[in-house]
Amino acid sequence: MVPIIELYLLIKIGGVIGALDIVLIILITASLGAYLAKSQGFRVLREIQEATSRRYMSGNELLHGFFVLAGSFALLTPGFLSDIIGLSMLIPQIREIYVKMAKGFIRKKIQNGQWQMKMYTNFR
């Protein structure tokens, strides 16, 4: 369904602003996505390293990393809807909303017994 919506939007907007402008927008958003993915990705990696150096379980940071990766892929995919979603995942303040939603989803699955969580200690 999403590819159909993306194609529809590309055709409609392309009819208004022209095919060349659509191609330029796609290239610009892909470049922006690559830049933001790199900068935000390194930031999240640094936060994960800091958490592990403090012997802290870095679940929150890992979720941020997941959404940076997902947002990067969305921005590299041609289309306006995927660009909006991808860009929102790369903005830290908005990404925090996605992380909170994901934590709520995970918490609910664990509480309902649909998912199980096991902690392992004494790694060898």
Side-chain angles (χ1 to χ4, degrees), residues 19 40 57 73 75 92 104-105:
Q40 290 300 307
M57 185 69 144
F73 282 130
L75 271 174
F105 174 80

Side-chain angles (χ1 to χ4, degrees), residues 31-85:
S31 299
L32 177 67
Y35 170 76
L36 286 173
K38 182 179 176 183
S39 66
Q40 290 300 307
F42 281 129
R43 179 176 173 218
V44 169
L45 280 175
R46 188 175 59 251
E47 289 172 359
I48 291 170
Q49 288 173 338
E50 288 173 5
T52 54
S53 71
R54 293 187 317 255
R55 298 180 188 257
Y56 168 72
M57 185 69 144
S58 58
N60 197 49
E61 291 80 5
L62 290 173
L63 283 173
H64 276 275
F66 169 78
F67 284 112
V68 166
L69 183 63
S72 302
F73 282 130
L75 271 174
L76 293 173
T77 303
F80 291 106
L81 184 60
S82 61
D83 286 348
I84 291 168
I85 293 168

Side-chain angles (χ1 to χ4, degrees), residues 64 67 92-103:
H64 276 275
F67 284 112
Q93 295 82 359
I94 299 173
R95 186 173 60 241
E96 187 63 42
I97 296 168
Y98 287 108
V99 168
K100 286 180 183 178
M101 288 173 30
K103 288 195 299 193

